[in-house]
Every structure is written in structure tokens, then in C-alpha cells.
Amino acid sequence: MRTAHYLIAAALLASGAVASTGCQFVPRSQFNACEAQARNLNERCKAQEAELATLKLHSRKVEDQLLRAEEELAMIDQRTGLDRKKLKNYEAERQALRDELDDLAHGRNGSSAHNRRLAELAKQHPELIYDPSTGICKLRGDVFFGSADSALSPDGRKALDQFAKIMSADEAAKFRVMVVGHTDSRPIAHRDTRDRYPDNWHLSAARALNVADYLQKHGLREDQVGVAGFGRHEPVSSGASAEDRQRNRRVEIFVMSPDTPVVGWVETLPSVYR
């Protein structure tokens, strides 16, 4: 490459000299001057080639440094994201512990974390009424029954379908459901009805069981549901009129956090079973 540059430069200088003097011979001094100029040009060309090679090498080094810097930045960003996630989890755990300590200090049952989730669930679903003093939700519309009857009505099935859809969702899977049956104050009169339900205790329990069975068939787990019957002893109206008695023939549905103490649920009252 270098020899080629040298010869080209010399040829160009010589041809220029010949062209300027026609076909005459070029003096030795002029030829030597052209030859020296050609060598000078060749040296400059080699110097520029060396400089270009140096620049290319430097450029590759800079590209490599930039690539390493981008990789390090990506790793730092990933670590920072993980640290932020850890910090968020730590803050949530600390807040849950503070809420639990506050509950214990004020004699409240259940954890505030569960209570907040229940409150949020009630906000999302107007069918549920949330009581902040107890941390318990109640289905807004009770399931009503005919006199001396435990069969679900179409309206009752519709309400239970909607409730089952709410409670079988992932965000409600940990909550407990208590189904409580009631009757009016009148004794069971018909013999065939008494054969099935000897008294209002049995009738209220049968109503609660029918509701619980329906809910379990529509998505709720068996261990998620509890049943109770109160007979005629927890009325919500005087029972003096047919309308009042209808209000008392009901099944109520409550939603509770998994650590709300309930008689019969072992894990909510572990000290009783030691």
C-alpha cells in the first residue's frame, strides 16, 4: 500500500513536470525535488492512515464502554425496581402490624387489613352493608320465605346468585359466610309441616341450610360457610301484622374476616380448644 502511494505520487509529479516542458527531458534536480515531494505526500498519507486506525480503535473502545454502561444501567434499574418492591412490601407488613397492635390495644376483633378489604368489597358491591364497628358485612336484602316453608323463592334465588358471584371471586375467597335462619312467632299449625319441622327451631335451621346448600352449589366452598338457626327469638318487627311476620321469616347472610371469632370455628378461638 505504501509503495503504491509512493509510486503514484512520483508518477503524478513527474507527469506534471513533463507536461509543463513538453517532450524534453526533466532535469535531475527537478526529478529529485518531485521525488522528495512524493515521499512527503506518502508520509503524510501514512500518518493519516495511522490516525484513522487510531480513531477506529478508539471508537470501538468507546462503543464497548457505552455497551457496558447500558448493561450496568439496566442491572441497576432492575435492582432498584426490586428494592422498591421490597420496600413496598415491608411498608405494607409494618402497617399491618401497627393495625393489629392498634386492634389489640382497643379491644377490637379481627385484623384491620381484613377489615379494610371487607370495606373495599362493600364499596364495590352495593348489595353488601359494612359495619366498621364490628368489621362485618351483611347482605342488604334478606332472603324471605313463605309461612311454614323453607323453599327458596325466585327472588331469593336471584339474590343468592348475585351474592355467590361476589363471594366466589378471588378477592373474597378468604372471607367467611354465616347463614342465619329465622321464623315468625307463630307455631307450626299444619300436621304435615310439623312432620318435617317439629318446631320453629327446626324450620329456621332448614331455611339456613337450604340457603347454604344453594350457595355451595354456586361456587362457595363448604368450609367457607357456617349455618345457624334462631327460631322465633330474634325478630326484626313486632309480628302484629302479616307484613311484620313476613319480615321475620327470613335468612340473614353475614360476611366476616377469617380471624373474626365465631363459636364453632376452631381457628378463630384457638384458646378455647387448648
Side-chain angles (χ1 to χ4, degrees):
M1 177 65 74
R2 295 174 183 174
T3 304
H5 289 156
Y6 176 82
L7 292 174
I8 291 170
L12 288 173
L13 290 170
S15 63
V18 171
S20 63
T21 58
C23 296
Q24 297 177 1
F25 289 103
V26 177
R28 183 67 182 178
S29 60
Q30 187 176 356
F31 179 81
N32 291 339
C34 291
E35 189 178 35
Q37 189 176 359
R39 283 196 300 271
N40 184 42
L41 290 173
N42 189 45
E43 291 298 328
R44 290 171 59 187
C45 182
K46 288 190 288 183
Q48 289 177 349
E49 286 179 350
E51 185 178 359
L52 180 60
T54 302
L55 289 174
K56 288 182 178 179
L57 179 61
H58 181 68
S59 176
R60 285 196 295 271
K61 289 182 178 179
V62 171
E63 288 178 356
D64 291 341
Q65 290 175 353
L66 179 60
L67 181 60
R68 286 195 298 270
E70 289 178 349
E71 291 175 350
E72 290 177 2
L73 182 61
M75 292 177 63
I76 291 172
D77 185 63
Q78 184 179 9
R79 288 197 299 267
T80 303
L82 292 174
D83 291 340
R84 283 197 296 265
K85 185 176 180 180
K86 288 181 180 179
L87 179 60
K88 187 176 181 180
N89 291 337
Y90 290 149
E91 289 175 347
E93 291 176 4
R94 183 179 64 180
Q95 186 61 47
L97 290 173
R98 285 180 175 176
D99 292 341
E100 187 173 351
L101 181 62
D102 186 60
D103 288 337
L104 293 173
H106 293 83
R108 292 193 295 263
N109 293 322
S111 70
S112 293
H114 287 138
N115 291 347
R116 284 197 302 272
R117 284 195 285 271
L118 265 179
E120 291 171 2
L121 188 69
K123 285 182 181 179
Q124 296 171 7
H125 303 284
E127 302 91 342
L128 299 177
I129 307 170
Y130 177 71
D131 180 10
S133 63
T134 60
I136 293 175
C137 278
K138 182 180 182 298
L139 185 65
R140 187 177 295 276
D142 295 335
V143 181
F144 296 105
F145 293 83
S147 179
D149 192 5
S150 64
L152 289 168
S153 66
D155 288 342
R157 293 174 185 271
K158 184 177 179 180
L160 293 178
D161 286 341
Q162 198 159 5
F163 179 77
K165 185 177 180 180
I166 295 171
M167 296 308 301
S168 58
D170 290 341
E171 62 267 21
K174 291 184 178 181
F175 296 130
R176 296 291 186 87
V177 176
M178 177 61 76
V179 182
V180 182
H182 301 272
T183 68
D184 60 30
S185 58
R186 290 188 172 186
I188 299 174
H190 298 289
R191 182 184 297 276
D192 57 344
T193 305
R194 285 203 308 272
D195 290 340
R196 288 182 294 159
Y197 314 115
D199 52 35
N200 283 324
W201 285 106
H202 290 79
L203 180 57
S204 67
R207 287 171 174 169
L209 282 169
N210 283 348
V211 169
D213 287 342
Y214 191 90
L215 292 175
Q216 290 169 12
K217 290 176 181 177
H218 288 78
L220 274 70
R221 304 186 316 275
E222 288 187 5
D223 65 332
Q224 191 179 5
V225 182
V227 172
F230 285 89
R232 59 184 177 83
H233 299 288
E234 297 296 330
V236 292
S237 63
S238 63
S241 67
E243 183 178 355
D244 286 345
R245 289 191 292 274
Q246 174 63 73
R247 291 183 61 205
N248 290 335
R249 295 193 297 267
R250 71 198 189 280
V251 165
E252 298 173 315
I253 301 177
F254 299 91
V255 182
M256 301 164 293
S257 68
D259 53 2
T260 299
V262 178
V263 174
W265 263 319
V266 177
E267 60 270 32
T268 67
L269 292 169
S271 60
V272 176
Y273 294 93
R274 289 176 182 171

PDB file of all heavy atoms in Angstrom, residues 85-99 113 116-117:
ATOM      1  N   LYS A  85     -39.932  -2.706  45.270  1.00  0.00           N
ATOM      2  CA  LYS A  85     -40.963  -3.697  45.564  1.00  0.00           C
ATOM      3  C   LYS A  85     -40.811  -4.220  46.982  1.00  0.00           C
ATOM      4  O   LYS A  85     -41.800  -4.365  47.717  1.00  0.00           O
ATOM      5  CB  LYS A  85     -40.879  -4.845  44.558  1.00  0.00           C
ATOM      6  CG  LYS A  85     -41.991  -5.868  44.696  1.00  0.00           C
ATOM      7  CD  LYS A  85     -41.891  -6.920  43.613  1.00  0.00           C
ATOM      8  CE  LYS A  85     -43.015  -7.949  43.741  1.00  0.00           C
ATOM      9  NZ  LYS A  85     -42.914  -8.989  42.687  1.00  0.00           N
ATOM     10  N   LYS A  86     -39.551  -4.511  47.385  1.00  0.00           N
ATOM     11  CA  LYS A  86     -39.308  -4.975  48.749  1.00  0.00           C
ATOM     12  C   LYS A  86     -39.731  -3.919  49.760  1.00  0.00           C
ATOM     13  O   LYS A  86     -40.351  -4.227  50.784  1.00  0.00           O
ATOM     14  CB  LYS A  86     -37.833  -5.322  48.922  1.00  0.00           C
ATOM     15  CG  LYS A  86     -37.394  -6.597  48.223  1.00  0.00           C
ATOM     16  CD  LYS A  86     -35.919  -6.863  48.479  1.00  0.00           C
ATOM     17  CE  LYS A  86     -35.458  -8.136  47.780  1.00  0.00           C
ATOM     18  NZ  LYS A  86     -34.009  -8.383  48.000  1.00  0.00           N
ATOM     19  N   LEU A  87     -39.375  -2.670  49.469  1.00  0.00           N
ATOM     20  CA  LEU A  87     -39.730  -1.580  50.380  1.00  0.00           C
ATOM     21  C   LEU A  87     -41.245  -1.456  50.516  1.00  0.00           C
ATOM     22  O   LEU A  87     -41.760  -1.270  51.633  1.00  0.00           O
ATOM     23  CB  LEU A  87     -39.135  -0.268  49.858  1.00  0.00           C
ATOM     24  CG  LEU A  87     -39.436   0.988  50.698  1.00  0.00           C
ATOM     25  CD1 LEU A  87     -38.879   0.823  52.106  1.00  0.00           C
ATOM     26  CD2 LEU A  87     -38.844   2.218  50.032  1.00  0.00           C
ATOM     27  N   LYS A  88     -41.946  -1.598  49.416  1.00  0.00           N
ATOM     28  CA  LYS A  88     -43.408  -1.518  49.460  1.00  0.00           C
ATOM     29  C   LYS A  88     -43.984  -2.653  50.296  1.00  0.00           C
ATOM     30  O   LYS A  88     -44.912  -2.449  51.088  1.00  0.00           O
ATOM     31  CB  LYS A  88     -43.963  -1.563  48.034  1.00  0.00           C
ATOM     32  CG  LYS A  88     -45.459  -1.324  47.962  1.00  0.00           C
ATOM     33  CD  LYS A  88     -45.929  -1.277  46.509  1.00  0.00           C
ATOM     34  CE  LYS A  88     -47.429  -1.017  46.426  1.00  0.00           C
ATOM     35  NZ  LYS A  88     -47.887  -0.978  45.004  1.00  0.00           N
ATOM     36  N   ASN A  89     -43.427  -3.859  50.133  1.00  0.00           N
ATOM     37  CA  ASN A  89     -43.892  -5.000  50.930  1.00  0.00           C
ATOM     38  C   ASN A  89     -43.599  -4.788  52.413  1.00  0.00           C
ATOM     39  O   ASN A  89     -44.441  -5.092  53.275  1.00  0.00           O
ATOM     40  CB  ASN A  89     -43.231  -6.288  50.445  1.00  0.00           C
ATOM     41  CG  ASN A  89     -43.712  -6.704  49.073  1.00  0.00           C
ATOM     42  OD1 ASN A  89     -44.800  -6.323  48.652  1.00  0.00           O
ATOM     43  ND2 ASN A  89     -42.911  -7.478  48.358  1.00  0.00           N
ATOM     44  N   TYR A  90     -42.399  -4.266  52.707  1.00  0.00           N
ATOM     45  CA  TYR A  90     -42.055  -4.001  54.103  1.00  0.00           C
ATOM     46  C   TYR A  90     -43.003  -2.974  54.718  1.00  0.00           C
ATOM     47  O   TYR A  90     -43.441  -3.126  55.863  1.00  0.00           O
ATOM     48  CB  TYR A  90     -40.611  -3.499  54.206  1.00  0.00           C
ATOM     49  CG  TYR A  90     -39.564  -4.541  53.921  1.00  0.00           C
ATOM     50  CD1 TYR A  90     -38.334  -4.192  53.362  1.00  0.00           C
ATOM     51  CD2 TYR A  90     -39.795  -5.886  54.203  1.00  0.00           C
ATOM     52  CE1 TYR A  90     -37.372  -5.152  53.087  1.00  0.00           C
ATOM     53  CE2 TYR A  90     -38.834  -6.843  53.928  1.00  0.00           C
ATOM     54  CZ  TYR A  90     -37.636  -6.474  53.376  1.00  0.00           C
ATOM     55  OH  TYR A  90     -36.688  -7.429  53.106  1.00  0.00           O
ATOM     56  N   GLU A  91     -43.324  -1.942  53.951  1.00  0.00           N
ATOM     57  CA  GLU A  91     -44.227  -0.909  54.458  1.00  0.00           C
ATOM     58  C   GLU A  91     -45.617  -1.487  54.715  1.00  0.00           C
ATOM     59  O   GLU A  91     -46.271  -1.154  55.715  1.00  0.00           O
ATOM     60  CB  GLU A  91     -44.306   0.244  53.467  1.00  0.00           C
ATOM     61  CG  GLU A  91     -43.037   1.080  53.404  1.00  0.00           C
ATOM     62  CD  GLU A  91     -43.110   2.152  52.330  1.00  0.00           C
ATOM     63  OE1 GLU A  91     -44.023   2.084  51.490  1.00  0.00           O
ATOM     64  OE2 GLU A  91     -42.249   3.057  52.342  1.00  0.00           O
ATOM     65  N   ALA A  92     -46.078  -2.359  53.805  1.00  0.00           N
ATOM     66  CA  ALA A  92     -47.392  -2.981  53.986  1.00  0.00           C
ATOM     67  C   ALA A  92     -47.406  -3.877  55.223  1.00  0.00           C
ATOM     68  O   ALA A  92     -48.363  -3.874  56.003  1.00  0.00           O
ATOM     69  CB  ALA A  92     -47.767  -3.778  52.738  1.00  0.00           C
ATOM     70  N   GLU A  93     -46.322  -4.659  55.403  1.00  0.00           N
ATOM     71  CA  GLU A  93     -46.237  -5.524  56.578  1.00  0.00           C
ATOM     72  C   GLU A  93     -46.187  -4.695  57.864  1.00  0.00           C
ATOM     73  O   GLU A  93     -46.832  -5.039  58.858  1.00  0.00           O
ATOM     74  CB  GLU A  93     -45.001  -6.412  56.479  1.00  0.00           C
ATOM     75  CG  GLU A  93     -45.094  -7.471  55.389  1.00  0.00           C
ATOM     76  CD  GLU A  93     -43.816  -8.264  55.258  1.00  0.00           C
ATOM     77  OE1 GLU A  93     -42.886  -8.022  56.071  1.00  0.00           O
ATOM     78  OE2 GLU A  93     -43.726  -9.117  54.359  1.00  0.00           O
ATOM     79  N   ARG A  94     -45.418  -3.611  57.832  1.00  0.00           N
ATOM     80  CA  ARG A  94     -45.323  -2.761  59.021  1.00  0.00           C
ATOM     81  C   ARG A  94     -46.676  -2.141  59.356  1.00  0.00           C
ATOM     82  O   ARG A  94     -47.074  -2.093  60.522  1.00  0.00           O
ATOM     83  CB  ARG A  94     -44.290  -1.658  58.788  1.00  0.00           C
ATOM     84  CG  ARG A  94     -44.070  -0.761  59.999  1.00  0.00           C
ATOM     85  CD  ARG A  94     -43.029   0.285  59.727  1.00  0.00           C
ATOM     86  NE  ARG A  94     -43.469   1.203  58.681  1.00  0.00           N
ATOM     87  CZ  ARG A  94     -42.742   2.223  58.235  1.00  0.00           C
ATOM     88  NH1 ARG A  94     -41.532   2.432  58.713  1.00  0.00           N
ATOM     89  NH2 ARG A  94     -43.215   3.008  57.290  1.00  0.00           N
ATOM     90  N   GLN A  95     -47.408  -1.699  58.330  1.00  0.00           N
ATOM     91  CA  GLN A  95     -48.720  -1.117  58.570  1.00  0.00           C
ATOM     92  C   GLN A  95     -49.694  -2.156  59.110  1.00  0.00           C
ATOM     93  O   GLN A  95     -50.509  -1.859  59.995  1.00  0.00           O
ATOM     94  CB  GLN A  95     -49.266  -0.510  57.271  1.00  0.00           C
ATOM     95  CG  GLN A  95     -50.567   0.264  57.445  1.00  0.00           C
ATOM     96  CD  GLN A  95     -50.421   1.430  58.388  1.00  0.00           C
ATOM     97  OE1 GLN A  95     -49.469   2.197  58.285  1.00  0.00           O
ATOM     98  NE2 GLN A  95     -51.353   1.570  59.327  1.00  0.00           N
ATOM     99  N   ALA A  96     -49.609  -3.382  58.587  1.00  0.00           N
ATOM    100  CA  ALA A  96     -50.488  -4.444  59.087  1.00  0.00           C
ATOM    101  C   ALA A  96     -50.201  -4.741  60.555  1.00  0.00           C
ATOM    102  O   ALA A  96     -51.127  -4.946  61.350  1.00  0.00           O
ATOM    103  CB  ALA A  96     -50.303  -5.702  58.234  1.00  0.00           C
ATOM    104  N   LEU A  97     -48.917  -4.760  60.934  1.00  0.00           N
ATOM    105  CA  LEU A  97     -48.557  -4.997  62.334  1.00  0.00           C
ATOM    106  C   LEU A  97     -49.037  -3.854  63.224  1.00  0.00           C
ATOM    107  O   LEU A  97     -49.516  -4.078  64.342  1.00  0.00           O
ATOM    108  CB  LEU A  97     -47.046  -5.173  62.457  1.00  0.00           C
ATOM    109  CG  LEU A  97     -46.462  -6.463  61.866  1.00  0.00           C
ATOM    110  CD1 LEU A  97     -44.944  -6.425  61.894  1.00  0.00           C
ATOM    111  CD2 LEU A  97     -46.977  -7.683  62.629  1.00  0.00           C
ATOM    112  N   ARG A  98     -48.891  -2.630  62.724  1.00  0.00           N
ATOM    113  CA  ARG A  98     -49.379  -1.489  63.500  1.00  0.00           C
ATOM    114  C   ARG A  98     -50.890  -1.550  63.694  1.00  0.00           C
ATOM    115  O   ARG A  98     -51.405  -1.270  64.786  1.00  0.00           O
ATOM    116  CB  ARG A  98     -49.000  -0.182  62.796  1.00  0.00           C
ATOM    117  CG  ARG A  98     -47.532   0.197  62.934  1.00  0.00           C
ATOM    118  CD  ARG A  98     -47.257   1.489  62.227  1.00  0.00           C
ATOM    119  NE  ARG A  98     -45.892   1.946  62.433  1.00  0.00           N
ATOM    120  CZ  ARG A  98     -45.363   3.026  61.859  1.00  0.00           C
ATOM    121  NH1 ARG A  98     -46.105   3.762  61.037  1.00  0.00           N
ATOM    122  NH2 ARG A  98     -44.115   3.375  62.111  1.00  0.00           N
ATOM    123  N   ASP A  99     -51.600  -1.927  62.614  1.00  0.00           N
ATOM    124  CA  ASP A  99     -53.059  -2.043  62.710  1.00  0.00           C
ATOM    125  C   ASP A  99     -53.459  -3.136  63.693  1.00  0.00           C
ATOM    126  O   ASP A  99     -54.405  -2.977  64.470  1.00  0.00           O
ATOM    127  CB  ASP A  99     -53.652  -2.346  61.334  1.00  0.00           C
ATOM    128  CG  ASP A  99     -53.514  -1.174  60.372  1.00  0.00           C
ATOM    129  OD1 ASP A  99     -53.307  -0.041  60.862  1.00  0.00           O
ATOM    130  OD2 ASP A  99     -53.593  -1.392  59.152  1.00  0.00           O
ATOM    131  N   ALA A 113     -56.315  -5.133  58.337  1.00  0.00           N
ATOM    132  CA  ALA A 113     -56.086  -5.424  56.920  1.00  0.00           C
ATOM    133  C   ALA A 113     -57.300  -6.132  56.321  1.00  0.00           C
ATOM    134  O   ALA A 113     -57.784  -5.774  55.242  1.00  0.00           O
ATOM    135  CB  ALA A 113     -54.831  -6.278  56.751  1.00  0.00           C
ATOM    136  N   ARG A 116     -60.247  -3.689  56.165  1.00  0.00           N
ATOM    137  CA  ARG A 116     -60.161  -2.774  55.021  1.00  0.00           C
ATOM    138  C   ARG A 116     -60.600  -3.469  53.736  1.00  0.00           C
ATOM    139  O   ARG A 116     -61.290  -2.874  52.899  1.00  0.00           O
ATOM    140  CB  ARG A 116     -58.730  -2.250  54.878  1.00  0.00           C
ATOM    141  CG  ARG A 116     -58.356  -1.184  55.899  1.00  0.00           C
ATOM    142  CD  ARG A 116     -57.100  -0.433  55.444  1.00  0.00           C
ATOM    143  NE  ARG A 116     -55.982  -1.335  55.260  1.00  0.00           N
ATOM    144  CZ  ARG A 116     -55.138  -1.682  56.217  1.00  0.00           C
ATOM    145  NH1 ARG A 116     -55.311  -1.217  57.444  1.00  0.00           N
ATOM    146  NH2 ARG A 116     -54.135  -2.498  55.980  1.00  0.00           N
ATOM    147  N   ARG A 117     -60.193  -4.724  53.582  1.00  0.00           N
ATOM    148  CA  ARG A 117     -60.592  -5.451  52.374  1.00  0.00           C
ATOM    149  C   ARG A 117     -62.107  -5.680  52.345  1.00  0.00           C
ATOM    150  O   ARG A 117     -62.724  -5.617  51.275  1.00  0.00           O
ATOM    151  CB  ARG A 117     -59.837  -6.777  52.292  1.00  0.00           C
ATOM    152  CG  ARG A 117     -58.383  -6.600  51.863  1.00  0.00           C
ATOM    153  CD  ARG A 117     -57.763  -7.922  51.444  1.00  0.00           C
ATOM    154  NE  ARG A 117     -57.460  -8.761  52.588  1.00  0.00           N
ATOM    155  CZ  ARG A 117     -56.316  -8.727  53.239  1.00  0.00           C
ATOM    156  NH1 ARG A 117     -55.370  -7.882  52.871  1.00  0.00           N
ATOM    157  NH2 ARG A 117     -56.089  -9.531  54.259  1.00  0.00           N
TER     158      ARG A 117
END
